[in-house]
Amino acid sequence: MAKHETPFLDQLESGPWPSFVSDMKQQAEVRAKNEAGVEFQIPQDCVDDLLGVVELSYKHGRTHWKHGGIVGVFGYGGGVIGRYCDQPSLFPGVEHFHTMRVNQPAGKYYSTEYLRSITKLWDLRGSGMTNMHGATGDIILLGTTTPQLEEVFWELTHNLGQDLGGSGSNLRTPADCLGTSRCEYSCYDTNSLVHFLTNEFQDELHRPAFPYKFKFKLDGCPNCCVASIARSDMSFIGTWKDDIKIDQDAVNKYIEQDPAYPSNAGAHKGRDWGPFDIQKEVINLCPTGCMKMVGKELKIDNANCTRCMHCINVMPRALKIGDVRGCSILCGAKAPILDGAQMGSLLVPFMEVNPDNDYEAITDLIENIWDWWMEEGKNRERLGELIMRQGFQKLLEVTGIEAVPQHVAYPRTNPYIFWREDEVPGGFERDVVEYRKHHLR
Amino acid sequence: MAFISSGYNPAKPMENRITDIGPKHFEEFYPEVIKKNKGKWTHHEILEPGVLVHVSETGDEVYTVRCGGARLMSTTHINEICDIADKHCDGHLRFTTRNNIEFMVDSKDKVEPLKNDLKSRKFAGGSLKFPIGGTGAGITNIVHTQGWIHCHTPATDASGTVKSTMDALFDEFQNMRLPAHLRVSMACCLNMCGAVHCSDIAILGYHRKPPMLDHEYLDKLCEIPLAVAACPTAAIKPAKVTLANGTEVKSVEVKNERCMFCGNCYTMCPSMPLADTDGDGIVLMAGGKVSNRISDPKFSKVVVAFLPNEMPRWPSMTDAIKKMVNAYSNGANKYERLGDWAERIGWEKFFEVCELNFTHHLIDDFRQQAYMSWRQTTNFKF
């Protein structure tokens, strides 16, 4: 028998998509029966009460979680988010119901042994409810009480070899696509780089010293499966500098509609779009018009290719990324809060991704950007907003990067150019008396 | 419920403390076939909705079965995922960026038993536990935020709006018949923890009333200068207020006509709540993308300025989304993303074919960037 009536939530159990309500009810029941004999360290009926709170929100059209609350683990400023219910007498099981962010492994690969160790820990010391995963990438453990925070942290670090992620004004848990581990498009090993950056900047991840949040996201190619270009302060997007590799026989297999060569790797199989037409589907859609068929050969004018990936996506068996691989780095993306949405702006057109020297070029760039942002950034000002306020040229100055045409979509449309004094012969100081000798008042 | 110590001693918090060790190393978690073929993959194919094969230059293959899942998951459910991975996948699995679960096997004959197992599992309420799909020219799982499950600032629920939308779009999750892939994202307030601002279709929770002022507690709970500075439109100023009992307190005043309900003040000051049953609801955005493919990444545009919160299934919202998906499916060319299609036919036609009303709320009036969105040509359609 359910602790609370949930007529609204019950309606979300029907339909094909996995129902979070059914899952919560299942969890409430598992805790109530406790066949595993768990010595629950937080209220056994917390999931029943969570269902009750959410049902009340469905009735009121408003949340019943209170704002904030400063809790955490000793020595860290991030990784734990305090959460309290605003109807504690109705729902005592979730009166204190804090979130812990656990740093996910690169590529979000897991062994069941590891996942079971997390679920066991969270059954004992938490609600048994999670997010797999939060928007930033972490494993989110939802709902525990203050006395359990240090205990969970201790068990994570001592028994599971696992750290918390970030929250607050610090480096947020870096996230990546699966990269070369299972993708032929990936131009660098995103898993290795994200693991390196996460460990290299542990201090910044756990001890908030920044003006506001800062996100690294790593995409292996311009397809941008982790959306780094839209939602990270520094976005690492794999790319290449040399020519697309062409297997002409395979190109012709696509043209001949060999069933082993479906267009777009089979992504359009669900509808009859007519026979594959390389002219219409690849050559005419190339944004730079740099491709053509000459007889049975596909020719690509690589110097005019912008590596948008369309042709490679359509014919993955025939076209391959080049061999001189690295990444482009874009800065300043963010969602609307505070000053409106921003897309990442290209700062480094190409950078080597070199594990042999501990990714020195990348870490140097990061340090320069952080030095500037920490010095000049206002409270709650994201990097993108600082770039807007002080200018892209300032970003070039602090990073020592030379301006190149790749930095702009088009050159400035206004001629209000701020020349510096040292850029103008003779400087700005002049003699008005000398001037007046030749110019009457 | 006896307290069980992990070994942590609050009297000596630094004793044997381990910190800053980061996440587990990813290589521990790779399935054998992934470890062996990393960096050697030559190509892939989507065999059917939700089933992929990646082929290595070594001749090895990995078959992936992708399942949708609610982002909110219980440990019981995760343990069931582990049971499946133990039974079919040598104890390995992964999650995608969009909260799908991927089960991988190293030969084709292992795919059908895995699929049949996944299809057979249902929740007591009747919904599928592991629907297979979410690949190619279709709709994959919705990335979303916390909503009423666990957040203090939402203007709507996340899990419920997503469940309702995925039920309505379920056929597109299990098919690949759209012109290109279509990404739906959800964020329950303007903070956009889910960064939905570059999605083909975005569901966004939105407040429409200025903050209330809890004068009696405001100065006790908040740093007034921070609350004032938090406002992007300078609508907040410090004020002295006399309470009903005659006490004069320090507080703030809000110029309501300047407020665009972003909730920044509430983020800085819990005494300025703005949630409201009638004021809160949903904004729909459309036409964004993050991929660089064919056209540049672009922001989503607001196409429905407000829909009320209609718990528990938000029918007006799912209707509007379905209209957009249908019109896009009927009108766009192969490979054309929703935003590219809207730009090709023109936004005036987009509203017509999607049967959405255009209102004055859809004309940008925030900051100078707004000007870039007004039409500066006579090239328009009637």
Side-chain angles (χ1 to χ4, degrees):
Chain A
M1 177 69 192
K3 186 175 174 192
H4 304 283
E5 293 284 306
T6 53
F8 275 119
L9 294 182
D10 294 350
Q11 295 176 57
L12 286 166
E13 291 199 85
S14 59
W17 188 252
S19 169
F20 68 101
V21 176
S22 297
D23 190 12
M24 287 166 77
K25 286 185 174 179
Q26 154 182 286
Q27 185 70 3
E29 209 177 301
V30 166
R31 285 179 78 93
K33 284 188 185 158
N34 193 20
E35 284 170 352
V38 179
E39 286 193 69
F40 295 115
Q41 297 293 291
I42 76 163
Q44 187 165 357
D45 62 354
C46 61
V47 182
D48 290 288
D49 279 350
L50 182 60
L51 279 159
V53 172
V54 179
E55 177 70 20
L56 190 63
S57 283
Y58 270 65
K59 190 177 158 196
H60 287 160
R62 300 187 302 268
T63 192
H64 281 287
W65 297 103
K66 281 208 265 187
H67 187 295
I70 297 172
V71 287
V73 298
F74 195 78
Y76 280 13
V80 181
I81 297 118
R83 191 63 77 227
Y84 301 89
C85 181
D86 72 2
Q87 293 294 329
S89 56
L90 291 176
F91 310 108
V94 293
E95 180 175 0
H96 309 246
F97 209 63
H98 312 318
T99 296
M100 298 188 85
R101 291 186 178 168
V102 178
N103 196 153
Q104 83 287 0
K108 296 193 178 103
Y109 285 93
Y110 292 100
S111 67
T112 53
E113 186 193 357
Y114 171 81
L115 277 181
R116 287 183 202 278
S117 67
I118 292 278
T119 58
K120 195 174 168 210
L121 170 62
W122 201 238
D123 283 336
L124 175 69
R125 300 196 179 278
S127 68
M129 294 307 303
T130 78
N131 285 148
M132 294 298 283
H133 298 72
T136 297
D138 307 86
I139 304 165
I140 307 284
L141 302 179
L142 286 174
T144 194
T145 57
T146 309
Q148 290 304 314
L149 298 173
E150 287 290 354
E151 308 296 334
V152 173
F153 182 66
W154 181 278
E155 292 208 27
L156 281 174
T157 51
H158 283 76
N159 307 333
L160 306 185
Q162 172 67 59
D163 211 332
L164 295 181
S167 63
S169 290
N170 58 9
L171 175 63
R172 296 302 180 84
T173 312
D176 63 338
C177 69
L178 49 54
T180 51
S181 73
R182 205 194 64 197
C183 184
E184 69 269 28
Y185 301 151
S186 191
C187 301
Y188 67 99
D189 183 348
T190 53
N191 294 172
S192 288
L193 179 57
V194 87
H195 189 77
F196 174 83
L197 291 175
T198 306
N199 283 290
E200 178 74 7
F201 298 115
Q202 282 291 301
D203 197 32
E204 286 76 8
L205 213 157
H206 292 304
R207 294 170 196 89
F210 287 161
Y212 200 14
K213 66 181 90 164
F214 197 96
K215 298 183 177 180
F216 293 140
K217 292 198 193 295
L218 288 71
D219 273 305
C221 83
N223 279 327
C224 274
C225 291
V226 290
S228 69
I229 203 164
R231 58 193 194 119
S232 61
D233 300 86
M234 275 183 90
S235 151
F236 303 84
I237 302 175
T239 195
W240 67 94
K241 269 178 129 169
D242 56 341
D243 296 352
I244 291 174
K245 290 177 284 195
I246 309 176
D247 176 342
Q248 297 290 355
D249 290 339
V251 171
N252 283 291
K253 288 277 196 339
Y254 280 101
I255 294 170
E256 292 153 12
Q257 289 156 64
D258 186 318
Y261 293 72
S263 69
N264 218 33
H268 285 84
K269 277 179 187 169
R271 176 152 146 191
D272 182 10
W273 290 94
F276 176 69
D277 180 342
I278 195 170
Q279 188 67 38
K280 188 174 147 200
E281 296 185 35
V282 181
I283 296 170
N284 291 354
L285 289 181
C286 172
T288 63
C290 73
M291 314 180 82
K292 62 181 175 190
M293 288 299 290
V294 179
K296 291 206 139 206
E297 276 199 23
L298 177 69
K299 300 277 187 196
I300 301 177
D301 173 9
N302 281 281
N304 281 305
C305 168
T306 53
R307 303 166 317 286
C308 85
M309 298 289 298
H310 175 64
C311 59
I312 297 177
N313 286 325
V314 176
M315 303 191 292
R317 299 195 71 169
L319 303 178
K320 313 276 180 195
I321 58 172
D323 288 323
V324 184
R325 298 171 191 175
C327 71
S328 299
I329 299 175
L330 294 88
C331 288
K334 57 182 278 292
I337 295 285
L338 300 155
D339 258 356
Q342 283 184 235
M343 198 75 77
S345 297
L346 180 69
L347 176 64
V348 183
F350 186 84
M351 190 173 269
E352 255 193 357
V353 180
N354 187 358
D356 297 336
N357 64 6
D358 282 347
Y359 307 100
E360 194 182 352
I362 290 172
T363 52
D364 284 353
L365 179 73
I366 292 167
E367 302 272 3
N368 283 335
I369 288 174
W370 280 351
D371 283 348
W372 173 51
W373 179 55
M374 288 171 77
E375 182 72 26
E376 298 286 334
K378 294 194 284 193
N379 183 37
R380 299 186 80 228
E381 186 174 52
R382 293 283 288 269
L383 176 63
E385 286 150 352
L386 176 63
I387 298 170
M388 285 287 279
R389 185 161 62 83
Q390 295 202 346
F392 193 83
Q393 298 190 27
K394 186 75 188 172
L395 178 66
L396 292 178
E397 189 186 313
V398 300
T399 53
I401 293 170
E402 291 270 323
V404 290
Q406 283 82 356
H407 281 135
V408 294
Y410 51 86
R412 65 194 308 152
T413 55
N414 71 69
Y416 301 144
I417 303 167
F418 291 94
W419 291 91
R420 286 197 318 268
E421 184 169 12
D422 63 2
E423 291 179 317
V424 185
F428 288 172
E429 289 305 314
R430 288 178 290 158
D431 184 352
V432 74
V433 176
E434 183 59 26
Y435 181 82
R436 285 297 171 213
K437 284 182 188 167
H438 308 285
H439 301 276
L440 299 178
R441 273 189 195 88
Chain B
M1 151 176 111
F3 186 85
I4 299 175
S5 168
S6 61
Y8 172 72
N9 178 2
K12 295 178 180 170
M14 294 312 288
E15 196 172 75
N16 298 325
R17 194 171 189 83
I18 300 173
T19 64
D20 300 282
I21 56 173
K24 299 282 277 185
H25 198 274
F26 49 91
E27 268 181 10
E28 288 179 46
F29 298 144
Y30 283 161
E32 204 50 43
V33 63
I34 295 289
K35 197 180 288 178
K36 201 172 140 204
N37 294 288
K38 183 173 178 176
K40 296 178 188 162
W41 301 107
T42 64
H43 65 275
H44 75 283
E45 186 183 336
I46 305 170
L47 299 171
E48 58 185 271
V51 182
L52 305 108
V53 60
H54 287 79
V55 182
S56 164
E57 63 192 32
T58 66
D60 286 352
E61 295 175 330
V62 61
Y63 291 84
T64 302
V65 179
R66 180 180 293 175
C67 304
R71 187 181 93 146
L72 184 77
M73 272 183 196
S74 70
T75 50
T76 304
H77 190 62
I78 297 170
N79 288 339
E80 187 169 346
I81 292 169
C82 290
D83 292 342
I84 297 167
D86 281 339
K87 192 168 151 197
H88 299 274
C89 314
D90 299 319
H92 294 273
L93 65 132
R94 72 175 289 270
F95 288 81
T96 72
T97 303
R98 301 191 75 89
N99 305 325
N100 298 291
I101 309 142
E102 288 191 339
F103 297 99
M104 285 160 281
V105 291
D106 56 11
S107 78
K108 195 167 188 177
D109 55 354
K110 295 178 183 171
V111 174
E112 281 306 309
L114 169 60
K115 275 170 54 190
N116 292 335
D117 189 353
L118 293 167
K119 283 181 196 169
S120 72
R121 294 169 189 261
K122 286 187 175 178
F123 281 112
S127 66
L128 295 163
K129 279 181 175 170
F130 303 105
I132 299 168
T135 51
I139 289 171
T140 192
N141 206 343
I142 298 181
V143 287
H144 65 96
T145 55
Q146 302 270 23
W148 293 331
I149 284 280
H150 213 228
C151 183
H152 65 290
T153 66
T156 187
D157 189 34
S159 306
T161 53
V162 166
K163 163 72 175 154
S164 306
T165 305
M166 285 310 288
D167 278 342
L169 299 179
F170 191 70
D171 286 349
E172 306 307 337
F173 176 80
Q174 294 206 310
N175 274 292
M176 303 191 292
R177 58 192 184 188
L178 295 178
H181 57 265
L182 189 139
R183 299 288 180 251
V184 187
S185 308
M186 194 284 153
C188 51
C189 84
L190 268 188
N191 257 313
M192 277 197 198
C193 299
V196 304
H197 58 296
C198 294
S199 306
D200 294 280
I201 294 177
I203 304 164
L204 177 63
Y206 197 68
H207 302 287
R208 287 188 309 170
K209 295 189 184 183
M212 292 167 268
L213 299 170
D214 204 351
H215 290 302
E216 192 182 342
Y217 291 94
L218 197 138
D219 190 36
K220 298 187 188 89
L221 285 169
C222 315
E223 296 284 350
I224 287 175
L226 287 182
V228 169
C231 182
T233 62
I236 304 172
K237 61 180 181 185
K240 283 198 172 133
V241 176
T242 308
L243 301 176
N245 67 7
T247 327
E248 194 179 66
V249 291
K250 285 186 197 160
S251 189
V252 298
E253 210 173 88
V254 176
K255 207 169 205 177
N256 285 341
E257 66 274 22
R258 280 199 188 171
C259 178
M260 42 92 174
F261 327 110
C262 69
N264 268 306
C265 51
Y266 181 58
T267 300
M268 300 312 287
C269 175
S271 294
M272 302 181 73
L274 64 168
D276 188 89
T277 305
D278 303 315
D280 295 354
I282 301 273
V283 171
L284 291 179
M285 302 178 78
K289 71 195 268 278
V290 292
S291 160
N292 290 272
R293 182 176 183 173
I294 303 178
S295 62
D296 294 347
K298 57 187 106 200
F299 292 121
S300 316
K301 283 85 183 167
V302 177
V303 292
V304 178
F306 186 78
L307 290 168
N309 278 327
E310 297 167 328
M311 292 75 76
R313 280 203 169 262
W314 286 269
S316 306
M317 176 194 79
T318 53
D319 280 356
I321 291 171
K322 280 206 83 160
K323 279 186 199 159
M324 281 192 271
V325 173
N326 288 339
Y328 163 68
S329 182
N330 294 333
N333 297 326
K334 191 179 179 187
Y335 306 113
E336 196 170 40
R337 292 289 291 268
L338 189 143
D340 293 331
W341 164 68
E343 285 172 12
R344 176 169 61 80
I345 64 171
W347 284 98
E348 63 271 42
K349 286 288 170 197
F350 173 89
F351 284 92
E352 193 180 308
V353 297
C354 295
E355 300 169 54
L356 299 174
N357 287 330
F358 191 88
T359 72
H360 71 278
H361 291 116
L362 302 179
I363 297 174
D364 198 349
D365 52 7
F366 184 69
R367 305 264 157 101
Q368 71 184 58
Q369 295 96 313
Y371 153 86
M372 305 299 290
S373 69
W374 304 337
R375 196 184 298 268
Q376 283 127 16
T377 167
T378 57
N379 296 330
F380 58 85
K381 296 176 185 175
F382 285 112

